[in-house]
Amino acid sequence: MIRHATHHLPLLALLLFAQIAVGQDHIKMMQYNLMYYTDNSGISDCNSSTNNLANKDANIRTIFHHVMPDVFCVCEMGTSLTYVERLLNNAINTDGIDYYRHGPLTNYSGGNIANMIYYDSRKLTLYKSDFITTSYRDINGYTLYLNSTDLATGDTIFVTFWIAHLKAGSSEANANARYAQAQRLMDKIESLGAPGNYVVSGDFNLYGASEPAYQEFINHSNSLYRLYDPIDKEGEWNNNHVYAAYHTQSTHSYESAGCFASGGLDDRFDFILVSPYIYYGSKEVQVLPNTYYALGQDGNRFNGSITSPANNSIPTNVANALYNQSDHLPVIVDLEFNARVGIADRSCAFMARVNNPVQDQIVLKMQTEEPDEYTFEIYGMDGKLLGAHQEILTDGAHTLYLPLNVAKGFYLLKVSNSKHQQQILKLIR
């Protein structure tokens, strides 16, 4: 229960609040399963005629230049640098653009498809790469740093993008294979011993949140390395109209020759998940609320195609390119570097986040490293304390609902623990 009081926040905290601002650098990320960008798909009717690379180049060029992502992560890239550079030169660095670069290619697990990353070299630089071999295909990690104005003094921000293409198929054996791949990835991330800014994306082939692979991602045993779904849409996605707005496969509703799966859009196979540090924005990078979406998915496609009924959410040429390019839709999210949606004590044993605007209650997401008693105080812009709440929380992830009986305007939420560590969050009512 919120209790009302009349004392004021110290002047220093108000000054800190006044400095809360929008992040300095905006990064748009897109994840896309290209559907066999190769001459050798391994499928008899998925060949140079039915999956022509010149046509794919034209379609990807239309899609890419419509979105203009700063980071472009892809699955089902051919396992030769010839294909990696072809896509760069024929679809990305075109129409006067020449500043995108790609990462190194690996294929140590074998097979005929791999992962790749492309990035805007004006904004980002590749620092290092890593890979994990699995029974099916490599999982790739690419660490990029921001070309910040402080780079000359050695100050910048790092983000690692992990790209995974998990085993396809609805059988229990395939689900177990996906779980094994997810375990390899999470164990690898934890073994690096530096929890922080990382994004995990790809074609996960997951049918529902109950699958062990998904649970390994979001409920990993070490809470500092768990992943978060930016749109918080955990459920049984397969053939479920409740999740129609989030389905990414298939763009085709009927059986067709070549590579395309049929059945229409009824699966959420493609994901972008983020670390707790990016979810909460506690290490200079934050995923921006309400920016995650599947391109062309307007929620009216359940068991239908991306083009029928008519799709008014994107230009017709983009809808046609999505239809002809792949049986998956790309997923997109925005990241803010140097994000300052709140001021935090850098030694904090907890992270807190709230999505603005808020209504009659504050939905507060928290990740705590240890059990403690927490105090939640709401202040007006004049520093007056409007209400407070105390609660004992265990370690782990929590969602709290705090009532907010105030007029429309700007407010401040101060979260603190018994060690006097604190985080100050901006509220917009």
Side-chain angles (χ1 to χ4, degrees):
M1 179 71 66
I2 293 288
R3 65 176 189 273
H4 294 280
T6 58
H7 64 275
H8 288 61
L9 187 67
L11 178 61
L12 176 60
L14 276 178
L15 291 175
L16 286 174
F17 179 59
Q19 296 171 12
I20 296 174
V22 178
Q24 295 178 0
D25 291 276
H26 173 226
I27 301 295
K28 184 181 295 293
M29 174 193 173
M30 180 163 71
Q31 164 66 47
Y32 196 15
N33 181 324
L34 300 179
M35 198 186 75
Y36 293 114
Y37 189 83
T38 175
D39 292 305
N40 178 29
S41 70
I43 302 173
S44 59
D45 60 350
C46 182
N47 50 49
S48 60
S49 176
T50 61
N51 194 45
N52 182 268
L53 284 182
N55 293 336
K56 294 179 80 69
D57 289 338
N59 291 324
I60 297 170
R61 183 164 59 248
T62 297
I63 296 163
F64 186 90
H65 286 261
H66 173 73
V67 176
M68 288 302 296
D70 302 294
V71 176
F72 185 32
C73 299
V74 304
C75 299
E76 299 204 10
M77 167 62 66
T79 56
S80 165
L81 280 176
T82 299
Y83 299 112
V84 174
E85 293 172 357
R86 176 184 176 127
L87 182 67
L88 180 67
N89 296 326
N90 290 11
I92 297 176
N93 277 341
T94 61
D95 301 331
I97 293 173
D98 63 359
Y99 43 79
Y100 282 88
R101 303 291 182 266
H102 66 76
L105 177 71
T106 73
N107 185 37
Y108 296 107
S109 298
N112 55 359
I113 49 177
N115 306 312
M116 183 46 58
I117 192 170
Y118 298 88
Y119 58 93
D120 184 340
S121 65
R122 300 172 306 170
K123 292 186 176 183
L124 300 158
T125 296
L126 179 67
Y127 176 66
K128 65 179 180 179
S129 64
D130 206 341
F131 65 89
I132 306 164
T133 59
T134 77
S135 299
Y136 298 96
R137 56 185 67 93
D138 293 357
I139 298 172
N140 295 91
Y142 302 94
T143 300
L144 306 178
Y145 64 82
L146 183 70
N147 298 335
S148 70
T149 55
D150 298 323
L151 193 58
T153 60
D155 189 12
T156 187
I157 302 166
F158 293 85
V159 179
T160 299
F161 296 87
W162 289 96
I163 310 170
H165 188 181
L166 305 187
K167 182 72 173 68
S170 58
S171 70
E172 182 178 357
N174 289 325
N176 289 336
R178 288 190 285 273
Y179 176 46
Q181 288 177 286
Q183 285 182 308
R184 293 291 303 276
L185 173 57
M186 298 306 290
D187 288 347
K188 172 70 172 185
I189 292 174
E190 185 174 359
S191 73
L192 297 175
N197 297 325
Y198 51 89
V199 178
V200 176
S201 69
D203 175 5
F204 295 167
N205 283 302
L206 295 170
Y207 291 87
S210 62
E211 277 207 37
Y214 189 79
Q215 289 300 310
E216 172 66 13
F217 288 147
I218 66 166
N219 284 317
H220 185 66
S221 56
N222 188 331
S223 62
L224 295 179
Y225 296 90
R226 289 173 183 166
L227 300 176
Y228 284 75
D229 182 353
I231 54 174
D232 195 21
K233 296 298 178 184
E234 298 175 17
E236 299 309 302
W237 307 295
N238 172 246
N239 204 31
N240 187 340
H241 69 89
V242 172
Y243 299 100
Y246 313 103
H247 289 151
T248 63
Q249 203 262 4
S250 170
T251 57
H252 286 231
S253 59
Y254 60 89
E255 194 68 41
S256 60
C259 305
F260 295 92
S262 60
L265 286 158
D266 58 6
D267 280 301
R268 187 189 180 195
F269 282 168
D270 304 270
F271 291 81
I272 299 173
L273 304 177
V274 299
S275 71
Y277 295 89
I278 290 183
Y279 184 81
Y280 291 103
S282 60
K283 286 195 174 182
E284 314 299 338
V285 183
Q286 183 162 34
V287 60
L288 291 181
N290 305 315
T291 62
Y292 184 114
Y293 68 101
L295 183 64
Q297 178 54 274
D298 57 5
N300 300 316
R301 316 274 116 207
F302 184 60
N303 282 328
S305 80
I306 192 62
T307 57
S308 180
N311 195 325
N312 297 317
S313 69
I314 49 175
T316 300
N317 68 322
V318 177
N320 290 335
L322 290 169
Y323 182 83
N324 292 313
Q325 158 56 31
S326 174
D327 51 13
H328 291 253
L329 293 178
V331 284
I332 298 165
V333 78
D334 291 355
L335 305 176
E336 202 73 69
F337 281 57
N338 286 340
R340 279 291 184 269
V341 295
I343 301 296
D345 179 341
R346 289 303 178 198
S347 63
C348 237
F350 66 89
M351 295 174 282
R353 166 185 167 136
V354 61
N355 286 348
N356 285 302
V358 296
Q359 302 301 324
D360 295 332
Q361 64 179 1
I362 304 165
V363 181
L364 180 68
K365 303 273 189 176
M366 288 190 63
Q367 179 73 42
T368 58
E369 296 179 8
E370 56 191 30
D372 205 341
E373 182 175 26
Y374 291 86
T375 300
F376 309 89
E377 297 173 308
I378 300 171
Y379 291 87
M381 289 297 291
D382 59 358
K384 183 179 180 180
L385 178 66
L386 302 176
H389 174 78
Q390 288 184 322
E391 191 158 340
I392 296 174
L393 299 177
T394 60
D395 60 310
H398 306 274
T399 302
L400 302 176
Y401 301 89
L402 307 177
L404 185 66
N405 301 316
V406 296
K408 291 185 181 296
F410 295 91
Y411 299 89
L412 178 151
L413 173 64
K414 177 183 174 184
V415 184
S416 58
N417 61 12
S418 64
K419 298 177 181 177
H420 306 292
Q421 298 170 336
Q422 67 180 31
Q423 184 171 352
I424 300 172
L425 302 170
K426 181 179 180 181
L427 300 178
I428 303 173
R429 172 73 165 85

